Amino acid sequence: MEVLSVTSEIYPLVKTGGLADVTGALPIVLGEHGVSARTLVPGYRQVMSALGKTRKVATFRNLFGGPARLLRARLGELELLVIDAPHLYDRPGSPYGREDGKDWPDNWARFAALGYVGAALARGLVRGFQPDIVHAHDWQSGLVPAYLAFGDKHRAKTVFTVHNLAFQGQFDKKIFKNLKLPAEAFAMDGIEYYGGVGFLKAGLQYADMITTVSPTYAREIRTPEFGMGLDGMLNARDGSLLGILNGIDTKIWNPSVDKALVRTFSVASIKRRSENKTAVLERFGLEAGGGLLFGVISRLTWQKGIDLLASSIDQRVAMGGRLCVLGSGEAKLETAMVAAAKRHPGRVGVIIGYDEQLSHLMQGGVDGVLVPSRFEPCGLTQLIGLRYGAVPVVARTGGLADTVIDANSAAIEAGVGTGILFKPDSVGALVEGLSRAIKLYEKPEVWARVQRRGMKSDVSWNVSAKAYAQLYQELTGS
Ligand code: ADP
């Protein structure tokens, strides 16, 4: 079984969130299930400079405004196909925008090119590589199924995975004529979306199968509350929508060998975590000593409930415990978090930025990892928390609800709780969740049991990779 994965991010080359973790880990684990996967990615500046030996496998005289080459490369265990198109990708900044956070105005062309090349590969562009499945991720790859729905016949089946329905890739209708799609594609049952062009909509409309990254989110997005305007069409495609939980790469996230930790540890030596906690406290300028340390590692956005967190801080500080926050995002939320740290020196510490190494140290040192999201397709920080003995304190929504078992008294009695769940979208419920965590922490033996249970739970890709492999087999009838 040959699979082409199409994505705008892949760890360790380019990452702005969980999408990169998934696309970087899944192809490797799929290998253990008889699936050989290659990944198509844009040749952003940071990608091109990280590639070692490459081989040119195709050229394009004019790929959405300029010449381009398709390169084959290997990165560790990953087989890559990279679109070297300087006019589209050779720029500073993030994959999606300028350093000041503004989207690139030609994002439609940058990601139409990704979809176009993905579809060309499915039609046998490169000799010796005929994918049975094209697996496209998020709106940036949403045009792959659209290009494959028209024109020459091919045998590839398409899977489109939604990692977050909130990012929709909407553009003005005037770009449609440049997409190289037939006029009939601009229709309500095509890529037309509220009068414009919707790349996410295209993926949802034309893919043979739609998946999202947790069973609960797969249910939620069928409702108006979570459907972001797409619930109607998702319901219409009900039989082709499946939730498959993400895992994490347990080699990268392994507390017993993690070099970013001051002290490595395992479930048998959980007490050693305290040295990492001391390092985290120092790094964030927080008071030393006992008491629960909460950590947040997150995009600072409304989705992640960071405004709720900011509003809860004064109450939380009064309850005890300390909080460290690593993240970046919306300017007003960054400001609110920095102001909270100023108000509560020694109790609240905030580092604005993106720091992979520090995120590992925090997971290995904080007592509770806090995820107050309003909606969460899957969420990876709580999975990493489970593996690192950082007890997840999370909102009961999407993948958070699917991966954390609330340690209420019945669950503790039954020996199954792995974290604390609270109702999403309210400061009161968040504060109650924090208070429950603080109370649980006051019983060190019970807390340690919850921690150990989390560390033992399977957060790897094993189960999910098998589910994807099965899905591919069903689609190809093999
Ligand atoms: P999303 O993809 O919605 O941002 P996920 O929980 O699925 O959220 O994945 C987030 C990933 O990004 C995790 O690997 C998390 O550790 C990482 N991350 C988020 N913010 C930061 C940050 N400021 N520094 C380092 N890593 C971060």
Side-chain angles (χ1 to χ4, degrees):
M1 169 86 62
E2 295 254 25
V3 172
L4 174 69
S5 171
V6 184
T7 177
S8 60
E9 296 185 25
I10 186 165
Y11 181 87
L13 283 178
V14 48
K15 166 170 165 175
T16 71
L19 169 65
D21 292 307
V22 173
T23 57
L26 185 57
I28 299 170
V29 204
L30 280 170
E32 294 160 22
H33 298 272
V35 175
S36 150
R38 295 185 202 187
T39 305
L40 177 69
V41 281
Y44 310 113
R45 193 175 279 181
Q46 70 262 49
V47 169
M48 296 309 293
S49 62
L51 294 180
K53 230 174 67 198
T54 60
R55 193 157 62 82
K56 187 182 79 184
V57 290
T59 52
F60 297 86
R61 250 180 303 149
N62 185 349
L63 184 68
F64 292 90
R69 302 183 304 160
L70 185 65
L71 305 175
R72 192 171 168 182
R74 215 185 145 80
L75 187 84
E77 293 175 77
L78 291 168
E79 276 285 351
L80 300 178
L81 291 158
V82 181
I83 309 172
D84 178 21
H87 63 292
L88 298 173
Y89 307 127
D90 183 17
R91 346 182 149 168
S94 90
Y96 312 122
R98 295 195 305 233
E99 269 144 353
D100 64 9
K102 284 237 168 67
D103 283 354
W104 298 113
D106 60 345
N107 269 351
W108 68 269
R110 300 173 75 236
F111 297 109
L114 180 65
Y116 188 81
V117 176
L121 280 162
R123 290 198 165 98
L125 173 71
V126 172
R127 200 173 332 152
F129 179 52
Q130 175 52 63
D132 304 291
I133 296 279
V134 186
H135 190 158
H137 298 270
D138 271 353
W139 75 262
Q140 295 87 349
S141 312
L143 287 197
V144 178
Y147 285 125
L148 287 174
F150 299 98
D152 295 345
K153 277 217 161 64
H154 59 88
R155 69 156 208 248
K157 298 284 185 206
T158 51
V159 176
F160 182 58
T161 296
V162 182
H163 296 260
N164 194 333
L165 205 66
F167 302 115
Q168 303 196 334
Q170 276 177 264
F171 301 97
D172 193 281
K173 70 169 186 287
K174 68 173 189 271
I175 66 133
F176 178 76
K177 63 180 185 309
N178 299 317
L179 290 181
K180 306 181 215 250
L181 280 167
E184 64 188 288
F186 192 75
M188 233 167 77
D189 60 356
I191 79 170
E192 188 269 334
Y193 187 51
Y194 290 104
V197 169
F199 278 34
L200 184 87
K201 160 98 186 303
L204 296 175
Q205 189 72 51
Y206 291 115
D208 293 308
M209 191 72 193
I210 304 164
T211 72
T212 187
V213 286
S214 71
T216 294
Y217 192 59
R219 277 195 303 276
E220 287 171 344
I221 58 177
R222 291 174 166 109
T223 66
E225 191 189 351
F226 292 94
M228 309 241 165
L230 290 160
D231 41 297
M233 75 158 301
L234 287 166
N235 277 310
R237 295 221 54 193
D238 197 42
S240 309
L241 170 59
L242 189 69
I244 301 178
L245 263 183
N246 284 336
I248 55 169
D249 187 328
T250 47
K251 280 195 200 128
I252 292 165
W253 297 103
N254 182 355
S256 57
V257 295
D258 191 332
K259 290 200 171 63
L261 301 180
V262 170
R263 188 78 194 260
T264 56
F265 59 93
S266 67
V267 72
S269 55
I270 215 163
K271 287 215 165 79
R272 292 198 206 155
R273 290 184 91 254
S274 63
E275 290 181 42
N276 299 313
K277 180 170 175 179
T278 305
V280 174
L281 290 170
E282 273 171 19
R283 190 72 188 269
F284 281 88
L286 295 176
E287 287 164 6
L292 203 165
L293 174 63
F294 290 106
V296 172
I297 305 153
S298 180
R299 292 185 286 117
L300 302 182
T301 62
W302 180 87
Q303 177 208 331
K304 299 287 180 181
I306 302 301
D307 54 321
L308 304 171
L309 176 68
S311 307
S312 74
I313 278 184
D314 297 342
Q315 281 184 69
R316 195 203 50 75
V317 169
M319 281 177 337
R322 285 151 298 171
L323 168 72
C324 55
V325 179
L326 168 65
S328 61
E330 292 164 20
K332 69 173 191 306
L333 295 177
E334 289 184 358
T335 310
M337 291 316 301
V338 171
K342 280 218 178 94
R343 269 200 320 279
H344 302 290
R347 311 294 300 276
V348 178
V350 173
I351 295 179
I352 299 295
Y354 190 92
D355 187 335
E356 194 80 29
Q357 296 300 308
L358 180 55
S359 79
H360 282 245
L361 179 65
M362 288 171 74
Q363 291 279 12
V366 302
D367 301 300
V369 66
L370 178 61
V371 191
S373 304
R374 285 199 166 81
F375 66 95
E376 194 57 77
C378 178
L380 296 178
T381 34
Q382 85 282 10
L383 296 181
I384 302 167
L386 286 169
R387 182 143 167 90
Y388 276 61
V391 172
V393 181
V394 304
R396 188 183 283 105
T397 184
L400 299 171
D402 289 340
T403 53
V404 179
I405 302 169
D406 188 58
N408 53 39
S409 23
I412 288 171
E413 189 93 341
V416 292
T418 56
I420 302 277
L421 289 161
F422 54 86
K423 227 170 100 230
D425 202 11
S426 109
V427 175
L430 168 58
V431 169
E432 206 182 298
L434 297 172
S435 148
R436 283 185 58 214
I438 289 171
K439 285 211 184 87
L440 198 67
Y441 189 75
E442 283 162 5
K443 300 180 201 143
E445 265 173 37
V446 182
W447 183 268
R449 252 187 282 147
V450 173
Q451 251 180 326
R452 280 199 295 270
R453 219 172 285 126
M455 287 184 80
K456 285 187 196 156
S457 53
D458 185 3
V459 290
S460 76
W461 273 103
N462 289 340
V463 176
S464 306
K466 207 164 149 194
Y468 279 113
Q470 244 164 24
L471 172 65
Y472 298 158
Q473 274 161 8
E474 277 163 27
L475 281 170
T476 56
S478 59

